[in-house]
Amino acid sequence: MNTILVKKYENIPLNHREIYRYMGCSHPDRQIESLTESCISELLPTLSCRVCYTELEVTEEGDMLDLSFAVVKSADLKKNLRGCRKIILFAATIGLGTDRLIARYSRTSPAKALCFQAIGAERIESLCDVFNKEVSQQCRRNGFFTRPRFSPGYGDLPLDVQKSIFSVLDCPRKIGLSLNESLLMSPSKSVTAIIGMGDTPCEHEKENCIRCSKSDCQFRRI
Amino acid sequence: MKILDFMKENILCLDGGMGTLLQDAGMAPGEFPERWNLSHPDVIRKIHQDYFDAGSNVVNTNTFGANSLKFPLPELEEIVEAAIENAKAGRDASCTSHEKYVALDIGPCGKLLKPYGDFDFEDAVELFAQIVRIGVRCGVDLIFIETMSDSYETKAALLAARENSDLPVFVSNAYGEDGKLMTGASPAAMVALAEGMGASAVGANCSLEPKQLKGVVAELLENASVPVILKPNAGLPTEVDGKAVYSTLPDEFASDMKEYVEQGVRIAGGCCGTSPEYISHIHKAICGISPVPVEPKNITCISSYTHAVKFEDSPILIGERINPTGKKRFKQALKDNDIDYILQEGIRQQDCGVDILDVNVGLPDIDEKTMLKKAVFELQAIIDLPLQIDTADAAAMEAALRLYNGKAMINSVSGKEESMRAIFPLVKKYGGLVVALTLDDNGIPSTVDGRVKIAEKILSVAAEYGIDKKDIIFDTLAMTVSADPQAAKVTLEALEIIRRDLGCHTSLGVSNISFGLPNREIINSTFFACAMERGLSAAIMNPYSQGMMKAYYSFKALHGMDENCSAYIDFASSCAESASSVQQSLQPAASKEEFSSALQKAIVKGLKEQAGELTDSLLDNRDALEIIQEEIIPALDIVGRGFEEKKIYLPQLLMSAEAAKSSFEKIKSFMSAGDSPVMSKCPAVIATVHGDIHDIGKNIVKLLLENYGFKVIDLGKDVPPSAVVDAVIENKAPVAGLSALMTTTVPAMEETIKLLKEKAPWCRIVVGGAVLNEEYSRRIGADKYAGDAMETVRFADKINLE
């Protein structure tokens, strides 16, 4: 039995440092601060934060992983899920409002568009963090230890596993999230990911970019 | 008995969920329920039969996700045919005696339509049409479009149903807790759209439990002149012992539904989590209720993809600025295909407080149909106001109405036979509120009586087409008062009679009154006030005119249409503010500090309004080219160098670029349309590649290239390789910029480069985007990888010099 559960979130705390980091502007001056604040107050009322998720079993079969909804070949995910028999598969979105603001301002004020882009990126990451934390706590109570969340496109996990994720989670209907031909999600500020549930604690619980091969990335955190 | 006849006297009981029942029957995660029509027909038939036995008058075929995106065509046909067969078999097996109908179920296609997704509107229409045609062939009783969370997709499905069948169509949407669709539409907006296009019933289903839909149901009942459908979920599921448990149980569900039926809901059932048991409870709860009659609401309204605008006593403002007539700068924008300029005009008018935007892009030497479609598509991507489509070309009108996301205002029809023959069928098919001009084949009557007679004739012809008078709004034609001193009187009297005696709404192109007179705003605003006093429902007007806005806000305050005068107070205080801010902004001219002029400072500091105003005042006594070369370019250089030296950040660079752009804009509108462009660097074609819809980076590059004097041909996002090549060849562009954000779209970039190298070998290609780097870009054949927008500018500058 696999029930798709849906959660809605409101008032997730803002992380201004992350917003400025996404804007490529670690030390904002007062003008940028006020631009950012005005964009935040325009964006917040348009948010519709939702997550749909389900618990599934995972088994290793040679160098393949059977995730119940898809069989994939990914050494990186396999490493991430070492010692896990179950996973939480989720999709999260902050809604279409941010896309509309970005589209509107990218035609009239690219500075604001950039700002909305950054706030949107921060909002979806913060939403995932909050959801992830709840899952981890719930798992802890049931005797499991979660792994850092892992999304299609991370490491060697192919992006086209998105198709199977969308099919099993019924994303369009559950949270209004759809997938296009290029495997882009609409609304664009959305995330799908797998959270492994293991019997033992994770070796490196802390999130970082160490598995990513893009070593020249300006957002890299190690 | 036909279903529509049955509905006249009876409440229609629908079926409940399918998915949960199939899971109980052993359907695996990720398996397609639609395939069960073929693999487990017995299970599907039994479910349908159980619903009929429980009291359903209508069951929906198990075809929710049956579409050609999910199934190849031959299989799709088999599935839909089998599904209809199964529903009919369920009906035949049911032994109860009530009326039973089979509805072809059409759910969302699972993809979001353009511009926020990648699925084309016409492709969506064709996708739904395939399903409808099979349904018609197999003999269903009605078409049930359900769970749509996007108004645009709803329109595509409804259009497909209407174009390919004569069957009754039910339209039901999935509303969120905020009472809106995922893409923003309110229930009133959906009623306007669906009724306008001939839906037989409108309503809500899925997503929420009955209690949560209170506001949505109330709004539907208040606005709909057709029966209202309600088919909610049994709440949200939770998992208990590995089984899905829904929070609202049959008893409670049925008693909630009973309340709604007593309030006027005429079509009731259940969605996710409901079962024959729920339907049986509903059936019992509602069978004794005598149905609340469905009354015509006589609401005159239009809608956008978010909201409906109703025409009542308070006057509606229709912004007239998207129109090239008499505007050199606008004509130039149309010739240059400069959509951004049109969008700016739209946003600016919205900021001024208009309710509707008139869209007229007709010029003798452009392809009006193509331009109108483009303008409507782009405007509705970023502005949520309803549009008034303004064209004399019926083919352009139809094309625009077709892709408009909502119920549009149609400008216009007249009493001429030919005009009515061309326009009324469009109103009937696509829905809309049509502006009817009181003139006919004999011209514009000079008498009040003559104009009213034409109005009456228009109403009676419209009725023959099945168009209700609430969907016609009369324009009694404001004519220039300098040519005929009686002109205004006749117009206003005719207007009053039509409003009062015919009970129709009215509209005027107010500014026409003052042609040939000096200081037109003075007489326009007074005429506007007179017309409002006589019952004007809507004005096509210039919202940038303070005189007009003064008349509007004062009128509303004086007629009890502005509670506590709050709108008036806001407006009046903003008038005072803007007067003083102009004063202030001109002051920095005195203090130059480290900058050689106030304009340079405004640009470097990124002060958009100031930069515009300062440029305006400089233009009084300096040459445009001199301002560019001595003020704007040096300022841009300061900023550009600062960015390259990492002393300033990207947002600051952009704010300066925007300020420079507003300076350039002033210079452009100062120069007349015929003048040669002020700067003359080479053309540069830019695009986000096919399949990719991220265009922030590309837009940044565009802004900077324009500031540095390049003639930018921006092809937008999701651009096919051939379109890039065509543009490069047509403009003989020596440089093209391509952007891609996703690993999945880099192959499209590679393909574009290959085609460019083959067909336009002179063109140098610069690429950028998050997934690219130096090495990767070399591998796909690009001439240059640019890490940021300034690098692109420097590269283009180099090519320009060559």
Side-chain angles (χ1 to χ4, degrees):
Chain A
M1 184 66 219
N2 114 285
T3 309
I4 314 298
L5 303 175
V6 176
K7 275 192 176 177
K8 294 169 188 172
Y9 291 87
E10 275 171 31
N11 305 320
I12 294 170
L14 277 162
N15 183 342
H16 286 80
R17 258 193 67 201
E18 281 294 282
I19 295 174
Y20 293 126
R21 194 171 72 88
Y22 286 124
M23 278 169 79
C25 177
S26 44
H27 302 287
D29 62 11
R30 209 179 313 150
Q31 207 183 343
I32 289 175
E33 273 178 2
S34 83
L35 176 82
T36 308
E37 287 308 319
S38 81
C39 289
I40 287 173
S41 46
E42 197 171 344
L43 183 135
L44 289 185
T46 73
L47 290 177
S48 170
C49 298
R50 298 170 193 218
V51 182
C52 64
Y53 61 103
T54 193
E55 190 179 304
L56 296 165
E57 289 181 359
V58 57
T59 46
E60 281 188 29
E61 283 167 16
D63 57 352
M64 305 297 275
L65 271 177
D66 185 346
L67 300 165
S68 308
F69 65 95
V71 180
V72 297
K73 188 177 173 182
S74 163
D76 292 323
L77 180 60
K78 210 170 134 185
K79 203 170 135 200
N80 173 280
L81 293 181
R82 188 167 297 152
C84 298
R85 282 174 292 127
K86 285 180 173 178
I87 55 168
I88 299 284
L89 176 71
F90 77 91
T93 182
I94 64 168
L96 200 60
T98 309
D99 288 358
R100 287 199 193 285
L101 287 168
I102 292 171
R104 180 176 174 122
Y105 286 105
S106 70
R107 307 304 283 265
T108 56
S109 168
K112 273 194 168 184
L114 180 78
C115 197
F116 283 118
Q117 169 77 19
I119 303 166
E122 181 278 336
R123 290 287 73 198
I124 182 62
E125 286 306 319
S126 293
L127 171 63
C128 290
D129 288 345
V130 168
F131 172 74
N132 204 335
K133 200 170 165 194
E134 285 178 9
V135 167
S136 298
Q137 286 166 350
Q138 180 66 36
C139 285
R140 236 3 245 117
R141 280 194 289 276
N142 297 334
F144 291 103
F145 298 86
T146 54
R147 303 292 180 254
R149 64 175 180 266
F150 201 100
S151 290
Y154 281 17
D156 62 354
L157 181 62
L159 207 50
D160 64 13
V161 75
Q162 286 280 53
K163 287 182 193 159
S164 315
I165 295 179
F166 271 68
S167 159
V168 73
L169 286 180
D170 198 8
C171 298
R173 189 162 183 174
K174 296 294 177 189
I175 59 170
L177 178 61
S178 59
L179 190 66
N180 78 15
E181 284 298 308
S182 318
L183 304 175
L184 294 172
M185 291 182 280
S186 303
S188 65
K189 296 300 173 213
S190 304
V191 163
T192 59
I194 292 162
I195 303 172
M197 299 162 61
D199 299 323
T200 53
C202 179
E203 296 138 35
H204 40 82
E205 176 85 42
K206 220 172 144 39
E207 273 181 70
N208 60 35
C209 304
I210 205 143
R211 276 180 303 277
C212 179
S213 57
K214 190 169 166 58
S215 55
D216 62 344
C217 175
Q218 59 170 317
F219 298 114
R220 193 171 175 91
R221 278 190 300 196
I222 294 185
Chain B
M1 196 187 297
K2 294 265 187 204
I3 184 163
L4 293 182
D5 293 324
F6 178 75
M7 281 161 62
K8 282 182 190 148
E9 308 291 335
N10 297 282
I11 290 159
L12 202 60
C13 188
L14 303 173
D15 63 359
M18 175 65 80
T20 28
L21 301 180
L22 293 182
Q23 286 186 355
D24 290 344
M27 190 177 69
E31 199 179 343
F32 290 139
E34 296 80 15
R35 285 212 168 103
W36 273 50
N37 288 310
L38 295 167
S39 62
H40 300 76
D42 47 327
V43 176
I44 305 293
R45 286 172 190 197
K46 183 69 172 53
I47 292 173
H48 289 318
Q49 184 196 336
D50 289 348
Y51 276 123
F52 278 127
D53 287 344
S56 298
N57 297 111
V58 177
V59 303
N60 287 4
T61 54
N62 178 32
T63 50
F64 182 82
N67 61 58
S68 55
L69 288 173
K70 237 170 160 177
F71 305 100
L73 207 48
E75 188 187 7
L76 176 69
E77 281 191 47
E78 271 181 64
I79 285 174
V80 177
E81 280 165 11
I84 295 168
E85 199 53 42
N86 291 337
K88 287 181 177 173
R91 172 167 64 184
D92 295 343
S94 166
C95 49
T96 50
S97 64
H98 60 280
E99 294 287 327
K100 294 175 191 137
Y101 304 97
V102 169
L104 176 69
D105 188 74
I106 296 183
C109 69
K111 286 196 148 206
L112 191 60
L113 269 58
K114 288 176 183 176
Y116 291 100
D118 68 340
F119 200 44
D120 185 74
F121 178 77
E122 289 296 343
D123 291 343
V125 174
E126 179 47 30
L127 171 129
F128 292 121
Q130 288 169 342
I131 311 160
V132 169
R133 287 193 287 261
I134 305 171
V136 169
R137 199 174 66 223
C138 297
V140 294
D141 300 303
L142 70 149
I143 294 165
F144 204 128
I145 297 165
E146 59 142 322
T147 324
M148 293 282 174
S149 57
D150 175 27
S151 55
Y152 212 21
E153 189 179 1
T154 311
K155 174 166 177 169
L158 182 49
L159 193 56
R162 301 286 290 158
E163 284 185 333
N164 293 281
S165 84
D166 300 317
L167 295 169
V169 187
F170 288 9
V171 174
S172 177
N173 291 102
Y175 293 92
E177 271 162 333
D178 57 356
K180 306 253 163 58
L181 301 190
M182 191 272 289
T183 54
S186 68
M190 290 315 299
V191 170
L193 185 152
E195 269 189 18
M197 293 182 62
S200 299
V202 295
N205 76 298
C206 204
S207 66
L208 299 171
E209 60 185 342
K211 282 192 184 65
Q212 294 169 300
L213 282 163
K214 205 166 169 186
V216 169
V217 174
E219 195 173 325
L220 288 169
L221 288 171
E222 187 190 318
N223 291 284
S225 300
V226 295
V228 167
I229 308 160
L230 185 60
K231 205 174 186 288
N233 282 356
L236 282 176
T238 44
E239 205 169 57
V240 180
D241 302 330
K243 252 182 108 60
V245 177
Y246 284 83
S247 51
T248 313
L249 297 175
D251 252 349
E252 185 189 354
F253 193 94
S255 85
D256 290 342
M257 291 302 288
K258 177 170 178 252
E259 253 177 65
Y260 286 128
V261 168
E262 284 165 347
Q263 286 164 21
V265 167
R266 293 289 299 261
I267 304 170
C271 202
C272 304
T274 63
S275 59
E277 191 191 354
Y278 282 77
I279 297 305
S280 160
H281 278 76
I282 294 174
H283 180 67
K284 281 192 200 105
I286 64 176
C287 65
I289 304 173
S290 60
V292 178
V294 181
E295 306 280 0
K297 299 298 186 292
N298 202 26
I299 294 170
T300 292
C301 76
I302 59 170
S303 67
S304 68
Y305 56 90
T306 55
H307 64 282
V309 168
K310 291 185 189 172
F311 290 68
E312 291 165 334
D313 288 336
S314 177
I316 299 290
L317 300 181
I318 305 171
E320 68 178 13
R321 301 300 296 176
I322 300 180
N323 190 325
T325 313
K327 300 187 196 82
K328 282 182 300 191
R329 177 67 186 93
F330 201 100
K331 283 181 186 158
Q332 192 60 45
L334 285 179
K335 283 180 192 150
D336 295 346
N337 216 350
D338 181 359
I339 291 285
D340 284 4
Y341 182 82
I342 298 174
L343 297 180
Q344 302 266 18
E345 287 291 315
I347 289 173
R348 219 177 126 201
Q349 292 184 88
Q350 182 174 35
D351 290 344
C352 289
V354 302
D355 304 293
I356 296 165
L357 296 176
D358 183 81
V359 183
N360 182 322
V361 292
L363 263 193
D365 40 0
I366 67 159
D367 173 0
E368 185 177 355
K369 183 171 155 185
T370 306
M371 185 46 105
L372 187 62
K373 277 172 75 173
K374 194 164 180 183
V376 167
F377 180 79
E378 297 275 1
L379 280 164
Q380 71 186 6
I382 64 163
I383 297 178
D384 64 0
L385 295 179
L387 303 181
Q388 166 165 287
I389 317 290
D390 183 356
T391 172
D393 176 343
M397 178 65 82
E398 171 154 27
L401 288 176
R402 200 173 167 87
L403 63 79
Y404 178 66
N405 188 355
K407 177 184 178 187
M409 201 156 166
I410 299 170
N411 191 5
S412 58
V413 73
S414 75
K416 292 181 180 173
E417 295 295 337
E418 195 194 336
S419 166
M420 292 192 283
R421 260 202 311 274
I423 297 299
F424 282 148
L426 302 182
V427 180
K428 184 66 190 163
K429 180 171 180 186
Y430 297 103
L433 170 62
V434 62
V435 178
L437 311 178
T438 53
L439 62 86
D440 64 11
D441 295 299
N442 301 317
I444 303 171
S446 54
T447 62
V448 173
D449 193 44
R451 294 193 198 178
V452 175
K453 282 229 161 66
I454 292 177
E456 286 167 339
K457 184 179 89 186
I458 291 174
L459 282 179
S460 81
V461 177
E464 289 167 21
Y465 285 89
I467 298 164
D468 203 66
K469 83 173 188 189
K470 73 174 166 55
D471 283 328
I472 297 178
I473 177 166
F474 285 101
D475 183 335
T476 55
L477 302 165
M479 311 289 287
T480 173
V481 73
S482 63
D484 172 8
Q486 298 300 311
K489 274 182 67 186
V490 173
T491 304
L492 292 175
E493 266 173 51
L495 182 131
E496 185 171 11
I497 291 171
I498 287 172
R499 181 83 189 93
R500 193 188 56 209
D501 298 347
L502 301 188
C504 290
H505 285 282
T506 56
S507 160
L508 281 177
V510 178
S511 319
N512 295 337
I513 204 74
S514 61
F515 273 124
L517 291 174
N519 240 330
R520 294 176 59 185
E521 186 181 43
I522 300 174
I523 195 159
N524 284 350
S525 57
T526 306
F527 177 64
F528 182 33
C530 296
M532 287 189 284
E533 195 60 50
R534 305 290 279 269
L536 182 70
S537 317
I540 305 177
M541 46 78 74
N542 176 6
Y544 308 155
S545 152
Q546 233 181 35
M548 293 294 284
M549 299 310 281
K550 281 177 184 166
Y552 169 74
Y553 284 109
S554 307
F555 177 85
K556 285 188 47 155
L558 295 170
H559 286 72
M561 294 165 178
D562 179 8
E563 207 171 328
N564 301 325
C565 298
S566 56
Y568 175 80
I569 291 169
D570 284 352
F571 170 73
S573 36
S574 77
C575 286
E577 263 170 37
S578 67
S580 68
S581 82
V582 170
Q583 283 302 317
Q584 274 175 12
S585 73
L586 292 175
Q587 273 168 10
S591 66
K592 287 181 182 171
E593 296 171 36
E594 72 267 42
F595 301 101
S596 68
S597 77
L599 177 56
Q600 273 198 22
K601 183 179 173 186
I603 292 173
V604 173
K605 296 282 175 199
L607 306 170
K608 216 172 175 175
E609 276 85 36
Q610 274 195 20
E613 283 157 12
L614 289 165
T615 308
D616 245 354
S617 60
L618 285 180
L619 280 166
D620 289 341
N621 43 34
R622 279 176 74 184
D623 178 55
L625 202 64
E626 191 185 308
I627 298 175
I628 293 170
Q629 285 183 340
E630 290 172 15
E631 306 290 343
I632 304 178
I633 299 278
L636 283 172
D637 277 342
I638 295 173
V639 182
R641 269 201 314 274
F643 179 72
E644 284 163 333
E645 288 161 11
K646 303 205 188 316
K647 284 184 192 144
I648 69 165
Y649 294 116
L650 182 59
Q652 291 160 317
L653 174 74
L654 293 180
M655 288 165 87
S656 293
E658 284 174 28
K661 188 178 175 178
S662 85
S663 283
F664 282 125
E665 192 49 53
K666 294 289 178 191
I667 290 171
K668 269 193 211 165
S669 50
F670 179 79
M671 320 269 295
S672 66
D675 287 356
S676 59
V678 279
M679 285 173 299
S680 47
K681 284 188 191 166
C682 65
V685 170
I686 60 169
T688 298
V689 298
H690 195 44
D692 209 322
I693 52 168
H694 295 87
D695 62 354
I696 292 187
K698 182 219 68 189
N699 288 334
I700 290 173
V701 169
K702 176 188 183 184
L703 175 67
L704 290 180
L705 282 174
E706 280 177 343
N707 276 345
Y708 278 86
F710 289 91
K711 181 180 176 234
V712 181
I713 296 105
D714 176 12
L715 302 177
K717 54 194 175 184
D718 190 13
V719 183
S722 60
V724 178
V725 172
D726 290 348
V728 165
I729 292 173
E730 190 189 323
N731 294 283
K732 301 205 173 43
V735 59
L738 301 174
S739 156
L741 192 97
M742 303 277 292
T743 46
T744 47
T745 54
V746 174
M749 181 179 264
E750 189 172 4
E751 197 187 324
T752 311
I753 294 173
K754 225 171 114 190
L755 201 63
L756 272 173
K757 291 285 172 203
E758 183 192 323
K759 300 268 164 85
W762 67 83
C763 183
R764 312 272 290 278
I765 301 153
V766 48
V767 299
V771 291
L772 292 163
N773 57 29
E774 196 76 54
E775 187 212 327
Y776 205 177
S777 70
R778 226 173 306 134
R779 215 184 314 150
I780 60 173
D783 297 299
K784 166 79 183 168
Y785 164 74
D788 60 52
M790 278 311 293
E791 232 182 306
T792 310
V793 170
R794 299 297 184 215
F795 179 69
D797 261 336
K798 219 174 76 193
I799 291 171
N800 181 57
L801 287 175
E802 282 169 11

